[in-house]
Amino acid sequence: MKTDPAWLPDQAFRAIGTRRVVVCGGDGPVVRTVVDEVTRACARYGGRVWHGTAGSPDADGADLLLVLTDLDCLPGEAAAVRAEIAPGQPLGKEGYALARPAGATVVVADGPAGLLYGLFHVARLGEAAFDGWRPLEVHRPASARRMLDHWDNIDVHPVMGQVERGYAGGSIFWRAGEPRDLHRVREYGRLLAAIGVNAVAVNNVNVHATEARLLTDRLGDVAAIADVLRPFGIRTHLSVSFASPMVLGGLPTADPLDPRVREWWSSAVADVYATIPDFGGFVVKADSEGQPGPFGYGRTHADGANALAAALSDHGGVVHWRAFVYNHRQDWRDRTTDRARAAYDHFAPLDGQFADNVILQVKYGPIDFQTREPVSPVIAAMPSTSVAVELQVTQEYTGQQRHVCYLGPLWASILRFRPWGPDGRAVASVAGDGGGLVAVSNVGDDPFWTGHPLAQANLYAFGRLAWDPFLDPLDVLDEWISLTFAPCPSVLRSALHEIMDSSWQVYESYTAPLGVGFMVNPGSHYGPGVDGYEYTPWGTYHFADRDGVGVDRTRASGTGYTGQYPAPWRDVYESVASCPDELLLFFHHVPYSHVLRSGLPLIQHIYDTHFDGVTKVVEMRRRWAEIADFVNAARHARVAQLLDEQVRCAQEWRDQINAYFFRKSGIPDARGRHIH
Ligand code: GCU
């Protein structure tokens, strides 16, 4: 089967392709991409393209002008649009202005990437871009770094497969230990450019022996990928092993303060830049889940990160140092070992000690990409450090691309969260300060890219929200629908919204309740395993007993985790009375009779949501069946088959969770339903 065009089917460029388009800009690789896009669209739909570096002789008759402002002579309309942009508010390398002053739609940009993003904006607007008059709009990304991390291995790992936590087949970069033909990577770059992603890390954060060599003797693999992604405005990054000086360089140590180690990193990095001049930098998982790190040498994470940063700084590279550090061999029930506390305990004391080109990459929650977690307190604890927020587009804990689970609303809630209260800054603004947004990618070599065709919407939403975190995630979903299913009939659009809008909340309703997390099968993290968490040999981490459930993370009587938040949240979360219900069991151990804001006792909430969740999934499946005539047959069949699995799995969750809590509590369902 041909690769699915995802949100860039030919139709998405129809409006542009029927027009007279003028591109005024230089001839670099990114401008070339702009010209290629419009040329292809015009060839298909009968439009005309002119491309040059100075004012076009044809500009007068153009329907669409795409103009780089560094030209000596701007076409009149473009000069007028440029003049309207507030002085002192530069567009920047990636921003663009869009207007339709008279008969022509005009995009102006100061840099090639801005021109490319402006073109895709016009594609999103479709015919509306050419309709009537449009006032000036200026668009700039909220964060300069919008990155996807691939957890791809070159070899197939015996337990994790080729892509760790990948649910869409093998890697798009490698097959059977060798680089692949990169035509799909090209398509991928195009899809990413259309949503504004500008950085990709190509290999797994757990760096195994073969992948470690990407830094040295397999650097050619990385250079080839970088060549393919560069015309889409994307810089390539690499996950490296902290132990590289030993495993690749043969040194007896990887101590970050040892001069031989520092010299080794400098020389390795110099080679990288000689091969890939716009290389982005490193991603490092250190001292976590078995990966080597500075602790082995009695050094701190700042010492470790700074050593690599020193090697990169002259070349304009950065180190994404991950804050996902905890001791996975440790019992984390009490004050000193609560896993939720770990990232803050490790990193908050180091604020101010990181080099300027270190970015601390923090998972959005304190645990691990759960369906519902509070926002990580590390984000508010590092005022002198660049912080990137890490999301997970791959649905490790949210249905593994077998369940429909549109994550836009979850991410929007994180990005809009204000750690210092309603008058303080939002998470998005902290990330916008230099760190950016990062997500673990969900694509593989599956023809639909993402296994579940509807999981493409998550990748789409990540890019769009990284560009503008305050977009309404349901508007973003609507954009994705309009492009992907173009031209989308209203019956299809409304069915897709019914299926997808609340699918994250539906998923939550039949899985672990009220922020308690996990309850998945160990290892695979798929399907219900109520007591199955792998790192709790001493018992259940959720503390369910015959009286109640939940983890006491208060300062008063629990692990003290609430104290890692600034006011007001440290107090809001501390008290059962003010803690939001959706996070109740994350912060508190409460009796089954505890009455929620809905008026229902906790145990009844658990029963009701689990019955209700299954009903909703059955309804999703019914809606999907109804629209068979409006969807490409292969895509329809794939989703239908996965919805069968979602129904099956949701029932299994319902039955296991309800039976578990019924047996623990002995309290029957007030509505008299049968609990298996
Ligand atoms: C999770 C995931 C691992 C991954 C880790 C990480 O624990 O299950 O597969 O390596 O996160 O983010 O590093």
Side-chain angles (χ1 to χ4, degrees):
M1 184 193 149
K2 228 174 115 237
T3 306
D4 189 66
W7 49 87
L8 293 180
D10 295 344
Q11 283 282 337
F13 275 83
R14 179 176 238 290
I16 293 173
T18 56
R19 300 297 197 296
R20 278 163 303 169
V21 184
V22 167
V23 183
C24 294
D27 206 23
V30 177
V31 174
R32 221 30 284 151
T33 304
V34 173
V35 175
D36 287 352
E37 287 291 343
V38 288
T39 305
R40 227 178 6 221
C42 289
R44 183 168 301 116
Y45 292 110
R48 277 205 339 254
V49 192
W50 181 91
H51 169 223
T53 51
S56 145
D58 284 354
D60 279 352
D63 303 305
L64 173 61
L65 272 165
L66 298 156
V67 180
L68 266 188
T69 56
D70 65 353
L71 303 175
D72 296 341
C73 163
L74 296 184
E77 294 90 331
V81 169
R82 183 76 190 88
E84 245 194 276
I85 301 168
Q89 292 262 295
L91 295 172
K93 285 202 299 231
E94 300 183 308
Y96 58 91
L98 174 74
R100 190 172 161 83
T105 304
V106 180
V107 172
V108 299
D110 290 348
L115 205 63
L116 184 60
Y117 297 143
L119 168 70
F120 283 118
H121 190 135
V122 175
R124 284 196 292 277
L125 292 172
E127 279 301 326
F130 302 98
D131 206 14
W133 173 85
R134 260 185 181 270
L136 178 81
E137 292 169 27
V138 172
H139 297 272
R140 298 182 192 87
S143 304
R145 294 176 191 280
R146 307 174 302 280
M147 178 178 194
L148 282 166
D149 284 3
H150 282 256
W151 285 358
D152 293 19
N153 300 316
I154 295 177
D155 296 324
V156 177
H157 187 271
V159 181
M160 289 291 178
Q162 189 177 23
V163 180
E164 180 155 335
R165 310 303 178 188
Y167 311 108
S171 168
I172 57 172
F173 302 121
W174 291 280
R175 180 156 50 197
E178 294 305 321
R180 294 184 77 132
D181 166 346
L182 295 179
H183 75 276
R184 284 208 61 176
V185 176
R186 202 179 174 284
E187 288 307 302
Y188 183 53
R190 184 169 176 252
L191 289 171
L192 296 190
I195 55 174
V197 168
N198 65 1
V200 164
V202 295
N203 64 307
N204 192 358
V205 287
N206 295 316
V207 184
H208 309 293
T210 310
E211 293 75 23
R213 292 170 43 214
L214 289 169
L215 179 58
T216 51
D217 54 314
R218 290 198 69 154
L219 188 57
D221 292 23
V222 188
I225 296 168
D227 285 346
V228 170
L229 294 178
R230 184 171 301 115
F232 299 99
I234 298 168
R235 287 174 82 176
T236 298
H237 297 60
L238 200 58
S239 294
V240 295
S241 165
F242 189 77
S244 297
M246 297 167 77
V247 296
L248 300 170
L251 293 182
T253 175
D255 180 352
L257 300 191
D258 187 305
R260 291 166 299 172
V261 169
R262 298 175 80 89
E263 177 47 38
W264 187 88
W265 280 111
S266 291
S267 127
V269 166
D271 289 348
V272 171
Y273 279 89
T275 315
I276 311 168
D278 59 349
F279 180 69
F282 296 148
V283 178
V284 188
K285 171 175 177 175
D287 287 318
S288 176
E289 298 182 337
Q291 293 298 304
F295 287 169
Y297 307 96
R299 310 298 185 193
T300 68
H301 281 279
D303 294 331
N306 292 347
L308 276 61
L312 287 157
S313 70
D314 284 350
H315 306 276
V318 292
V319 179
H320 285 254
W321 192 266
R322 296 181 80 230
F324 182 65
V325 175
Y326 71 105
N327 183 344
H328 67 296
R329 304 241 173 263
Q330 202 167 39
D331 172 343
W332 37 279
R333 274 172 305 180
D334 71 17
R335 185 167 285 272
T336 53
T337 57
D338 175 6
R339 176 173 169 181
R341 296 185 53 122
Y344 180 102
D345 285 344
H346 281 299
F347 287 96
L350 300 177
D351 185 38
Q353 297 183 27
F354 290 98
D356 286 350
N357 61 331
V358 173
I359 292 170
L360 189 67
Q361 187 163 310
V362 183
K363 286 192 183 183
Y364 66 80
I367 303 270
D368 193 12
F369 301 134
Q370 298 301 293
T371 312
R372 180 81 72 167
E373 284 187 61
V375 164
S376 169
V378 179
I379 296 166
M382 312 294 295
S384 305
T385 308
S386 297
V387 171
V389 176
E390 185 179 301
L391 308 173
Q392 199 185 39
V393 183
T394 194
Q395 294 169 235
E396 177 177 357
Y397 293 100
T398 50
Q400 303 201 345
Q401 280 141 247
R402 285 179 254 184
H403 296 218
V404 183
C405 186
Y406 174 56
L407 292 167
L410 164 63
W411 300 332
S413 73
I414 292 157
L415 296 169
R416 293 166 190 201
F417 180 77
R418 294 182 189 274
W420 297 274
D423 300 327
R425 302 170 68 201
V427 165
S429 140
V430 177
D433 267 357
L437 274 198
V438 180
V440 185
S441 174
N442 65 344
V443 312
D445 65 2
D446 170 69
F448 292 103
W449 295 99
T450 52
H452 201 307
L454 303 186
Q456 290 171 5
N458 287 329
L459 186 58
Y460 186 88
F462 167 71
R464 298 289 291 128
L465 292 174
W467 180 280
D468 181 355
F470 292 96
L471 290 173
D472 181 329
L474 298 186
D475 291 347
V476 171
L477 179 61
D478 196 60
E479 266 179 23
W480 173 77
I481 292 172
S482 303
L483 291 167
T484 305
F485 296 88
C488 185
S490 61
V491 29
L492 177 56
R493 182 185 305 279
S494 49
L496 284 164
H497 277 293
E498 280 172 46
I499 291 166
M500 297 179 75
D501 283 4
S502 317
S503 50
W504 164 55
Q505 290 89 338
V506 170
Y507 182 82
E508 178 180 36
S509 72
Y510 59 79
T511 56
L514 302 180
V516 78
F518 293 103
M519 297 195 166
V520 289
N521 283 306
S524 73
H525 298 168
Y526 185 74
V530 182
D531 284 340
Y533 186 61
E534 54 254 62
Y535 301 140
T536 51
W538 33 265
T540 63
Y541 79 95
H542 49 69
F543 302 104
D545 57 21
R546 54 167 214 184
D547 301 317
V549 57
V551 189
D552 183 351
R553 292 195 159 101
T554 63
R555 304 190 286 290
S557 52
T559 70
Y561 168 79
T562 57
Q564 296 186 339
Y565 288 90
W569 293 104
R570 52 190 290 114
D571 302 318
V572 171
Y573 292 145
E574 176 75 7
S575 143
V576 173
S578 52
C579 181
D581 277 345
E582 67 269 18
L583 288 169
L584 186 64
L585 303 183
F586 187 93
F587 284 104
H588 297 278
H589 185 85
V590 293
Y592 295 116
S593 57
H594 173 84
V595 177
L596 300 170
R597 289 181 179 80
S598 62
L600 289 176
L602 168 62
I603 189 72
Q604 194 57 41
H605 169 90
I606 293 176
Y607 295 150
D608 284 0
T609 49
H610 285 78
F611 281 113
D612 195 40
V614 171
T615 306
K616 288 191 169 132
V617 179
V618 170
E619 177 60 15
M620 280 180 187
R621 179 169 65 174
R622 194 187 63 73
R623 286 297 277 134
W624 184 256
E626 279 175 1
I627 53 175
D629 291 346
F630 301 95
V631 181
N632 153 303
R635 190 187 271 162
H636 193 273
R638 174 75 74 90
V639 174
Q641 178 202 340
L642 289 164
L643 279 165
D644 287 345
E645 164 57 14
Q646 186 170 357
V647 169
R648 184 207 64 75
C649 190
Q651 286 167 342
E652 192 186 345
W653 270 99
R654 174 198 64 195
D655 294 344
Q656 283 208 25
I657 297 271
N658 283 351
Y660 181 92
F661 284 107
F662 174 56
R663 285 195 199 115
K664 283 269 175 206
S665 70
I667 304 171
D669 173 32
R671 300 181 216 286
R673 287 162 295 198
H674 180 62
I675 291 177
H676 299 271

